[in-house]
Amino acid sequence: MRFLLNTCRAYSTSFSVVPRYRITQLGRVGQIENARQVFDELPNKTVDSWNSIIAGYFQNNQPDEALLLFKKMPEKNIVSWNGLISGYIKNGMVSEAREVFDKMPERNVVSWTAMIRGYVQEGMTGEAVSLFWLMPEKNVVSWTVMLGGLIQEGRIDEARRLYDMMPEKDVVARTNMMAAYCKEGRLSDAREIFDEMPWRNVVAWTTMITGYVQNNRVDVARKLFEVMPVKNEVSWTAMLMGYTQCGRIEAALELFEAMPMKSVVTGNALILGFGQNGEVAKARRVFDQMMVKDDATWSAVIKVYERKGFELKALDLFILMQKEGIRPKFPSLITILSVCASLASLDHGRQVHAQLVRSRFDEAVYVSSVLLTMYIKCGDLPKAKLVFDKFSSKDIVMWNSMISGYAQHGLGEEALKIFQSMFSTGMVPDDVTFVGVLTACNYTGKVKEGLDIFESMKSKYMVEPKTEHYACMVDLLGRAGKINEAVNIIEKMPMEADAAVWGSLLGACRTHAKLDLAEVAAKKLLVIEPENAGPYILLSNIYASQGKWNDVAELRKNMRARSVKKSPGSSWIEVEKRVHVFTTGDIRAHPEHSMIMKMLEKLDVLLREAGYNPDGNFVLHDVDEEEKLYSLRYHSEKLAVAYGLLKVPKEIPIRVMKNLRVCGDCHTAIKLIAKVTEREIILRDANRFHHFKDGICSCRDYW
């Protein structure tokens, strides 16, 4: 009979639990209206069902509705009151929770602990401590919650005193105390607790290993890791991250290959580790081997490619990511914006901008700065100005980007206007601001304005000039033919002149045929940058122009001995969201080379009819005449422009980028190409932008 009665009770209890369980589940997944419907349809509502629906409203951030139901409860138990306290605490309403706590008809250890936990979560550790010592009885959870509150606030010594007072220490309390010591770098104290633990779970082991890792004791961490009785994914990840953080990537890879379960997190860490060490191919190999990838995985490889100068591969991977249905998140979008800026990939940049707008990320000042830079580097100044004008609370980075942008595009007047506007808003200029402003004066030949601004840096704006500001001034005076004044600037510098300063003087001396001084500047550059081919070539040309062929031979010998090679000129153009790269003299590498050849031949005819003779514009003293003409015709920027004429619609500007400064011959040729084809051509070289239209360049041949 007793057996039958127990069975009946079990059945009855099970039957009553089902609706309550259903209410709880619906509340957890956000379907609070459906949960309410189940509750309302219950013929007999138990205290537990009331507690479940009230908890559901709290979980769905509807504390007012929860309170209304609480007040309607025909019968309440201590669980009901504790649920009200916990619900308020989950919604950050600690004052309301305390009101309930104070008027409860009775309290148990759960009530006290919930209230203390609420104070701890809100950072009100003083109130938590006061309440804790008023508790009539405490259990291990109460002690552990209070311990966590003191640790959270950094009161480690107080936490240790509380820890020593605990009548019972569970693994959670011991692990928390150990983690606090590790964070403070007190590894011996942490290890003492670890060694005293009567029983250690995988979390305790991992905490101690992580402590060693975070304090650069990777070898000690590895010894502990090896004797761990049970390892989980977090343990393996902690150990691997230790190796990546200290740059021991090969050890990290060895551990990764030994892992029984290769987590996405460890794969991502390994990719970034190889990337930081410059081992891009190995980073990609790890990526390709990963069976499961998340957005962070794709973002990691894209970031590695972008940081190491493989922008095209970064862009290709971003395109592949989208084809595979992976929706890029904020880090990926920001990285690819930088790639678009480097490649001047305007189409992809616009696409990313649209994604940022849809996600409402574009409202952040940092994002606006990156967008601004992207549009400037893509040569779309009107769009850059729209982004700039739209953002009301501009920071110094945005102002500097806009000033530098106008300067690079040869719009000195506009750059100076932005500078004045910036000053009128109360924004204080910094050293970067003055680099942009002086560059604007430099690129537009505003010598007097540049001198005045340079003099005012320290006296008016309290900004100490740096080497880059002196380099701007040397360039400004040198371009204007004021070579002696430029030399005086260098002699008065309070610091050693760097490569930028001597390079500016060298360029000016070469332009104005001050060959003796040019030789001095070139030799200075050879000392500062012995691996840079530029000074060797310029000095070689200077010697050759003076008939000093023995000096030319000696210089070339030194170049070969030091394995100094000139960087090959390369240019690229984006057509239909694909970037096409051209290298000087290597036209056959492009699949449509025959069409490009025909366009070049057509341009040759048009240019000669316009009176253009390349033979007189191109001088290189170490190749024969046939090589001169071949190299001249197939300069990378000309190949890219020719391809743009074939592929870019006439109403759209042709945008070409080059890794080096455009040569004088190509500059002259592209001016004429723009005129005879009636096209607008925008060329971004290593120094600045050139807007070619109607046979005129925005730089006014001053570059």
Side-chain angles (χ1 to χ4, degrees), residues 575-594:
V575 175
E576 295 175 354
K577 290 192 175 181
R578 185 181 171 195
V579 178
H580 299 258
V581 181
F582 299 89
T583 304
T584 296
D586 190 17
I587 187 172
R588 296 191 180 279
H590 197 278
E592 297 176 271
H593 65 272
S594 58

Side-chain angles (χ1 to χ4, degrees), residues 247 249-250 253 270-271 273-285 304 308 310:
I249 306 304
E250 293 302 327
L253 180 60
L270 201 56
I271 288 168
F274 276 127
Q276 287 166 1
N277 272 28
E279 299 183 74
V280 178
K282 288 183 179 179
R284 181 57 190 260
R285 189 161 67 245
V304 168
K308 299 303 173 182
F310 295 91

Side-chain angles (χ1 to χ4, degrees), residues 3-227:
F3 176 79
L4 289 175
L5 183 60
N6 284 346
T7 304
C8 184
R9 282 181 180 172
Y11 175 80
S12 175
T13 304
S14 176
F15 181 78
S16 65
V17 163
V18 171
R20 178 164 60 87
Y21 176 78
R22 182 75 177 141
I23 291 167
T24 301
Q25 287 298 100
L26 289 169
R28 283 176 180 167
V29 298
Q31 298 183 27
I32 190 62
E33 299 303 326
N34 292 336
R36 180 61 181 267
Q37 186 177 346
V38 173
F39 174 78
D40 289 340
E41 291 174 356
L42 284 174
N44 297 311
K45 298 176 177 65
T46 64
V47 175
D48 288 341
S49 62
W50 280 92
N51 291 343
S52 296
I53 190 65
I54 290 168
Y57 276 113
F58 275 123
Q59 286 172 348
N60 286 271
N61 303 313
Q62 296 185 40
D64 293 340
E65 190 65 30
L67 180 60
L68 286 174
L69 279 173
F70 180 82
K71 288 178 177 178
K72 290 179 181 178
M73 284 182 74
E75 181 186 352
K76 303 177 182 71
N77 59 16
I78 196 164
V79 176
S80 311
W81 288 94
N82 288 344
L84 193 62
I85 292 172
S86 297
Y88 276 135
I89 286 167
K90 285 175 184 174
N91 283 266
M93 302 167 70
V94 70
S95 299
E96 289 80 353
R98 183 59 191 260
E99 286 180 18
V100 173
F101 177 83
D102 288 339
K103 67 182 181 184
M104 286 177 72
E106 62 173 317
R107 306 182 190 98
N108 61 9
V109 70
V110 176
S111 319
W112 287 86
T113 304
M115 197 63 239
I116 291 166
R117 191 189 304 275
Y119 281 134
V120 166
Q121 287 175 359
E122 295 299 316
M124 301 168 69
T125 310
E127 288 82 348
V129 169
S130 299
L131 197 63
F132 177 79
W133 292 118
L134 292 174
M135 282 184 77
E137 60 174 311
K138 306 172 182 71
N139 63 11
V140 68
V141 178
S142 315
W143 285 94
T144 303
V145 168
M146 193 62 255
L147 181 73
L150 292 170
I151 290 170
Q152 177 183 294
E153 204 167 83
R155 293 157 67 172
I156 307 303
D157 292 332
E158 285 183 61
R160 180 57 194 255
R161 287 194 290 272
L162 189 75
Y163 174 84
D164 290 337
M165 294 169 63
M166 291 177 70
E168 180 188 353
K169 301 178 182 71
D170 65 1
V171 69
V172 176
R174 294 175 190 270
T175 303
N176 285 351
M177 195 68 240
M178 191 167 62
Y181 277 139
C182 288
K183 189 177 179 182
E184 293 286 308
R186 295 163 64 175
L187 293 177
S188 57
D189 291 329
R191 185 59 187 260
E192 181 186 355
I193 291 174
F194 178 80
D195 290 337
E196 290 173 353
M197 291 177 76
W199 174 77
R200 307 179 190 99
N201 62 10
V202 70
V203 178
W205 283 90
T206 304
T207 299
M208 195 66 243
I209 289 167
T210 303
Y212 281 126
V213 163
Q214 289 173 345
N215 289 275
N216 300 315
R217 302 278 298 278
V218 181
D219 291 327
V220 179
R222 182 60 185 264
K223 287 177 183 176
L224 199 61
F225 178 80
E226 291 298 336
V227 298

Side-chain angles (χ1 to χ4, degrees), residues 640-654:
V641 167
Y643 191 68
L645 289 168
L646 288 166
K647 297 291 183 178
V648 179
K650 191 158 187 176
E651 65 275 8
I652 299 174
I654 297 169

Side-chain angles (χ1 to χ4, degrees), residues 304-374:
V304 168
Y305 278 141
E306 183 256 337
R307 282 183 174 173
K308 299 303 173 182
F310 295 91
E311 288 90 354
L312 275 175
K313 289 190 175 183
L315 189 57
D316 288 342
L317 199 64
F318 179 72
I319 295 166
L320 179 62
M321 175 185 182
Q322 293 181 302
K323 284 180 180 176
E324 295 201 3
I326 307 295
R327 186 177 179 184
K329 293 181 182 175
F330 182 74
S332 303
L333 293 173
I334 291 298
T335 299
I336 213 66
L337 266 185
S338 297
V339 170
C340 292
S342 296
L343 292 176
S345 178
L346 186 57
D347 288 343
H348 281 100
R350 286 170 177 156
Q351 178 188 340
V352 173
H353 187 179
Q355 288 176 279
L356 288 166
V357 169
R358 285 195 294 272
S359 304
R360 304 195 67 156
F361 287 134
D362 65 316
E363 296 174 4
V365 64
Y366 169 69
V367 177
S368 293
S369 294
V370 178
L371 282 169
L372 185 64
T373 301
M374 185 273 293

Side-chain angles (χ1 to χ4, degrees), residues 540-542 544-545 549 552 556 619-624 628:
S540 175
N541 287 343
I542 290 168
S545 68
W549 302 112
V552 171
R556 296 300 167 129
V619 178
L620 186 65
H621 296 281
D622 61 343
V623 294
D624 60 30
K628 285 183 195 177

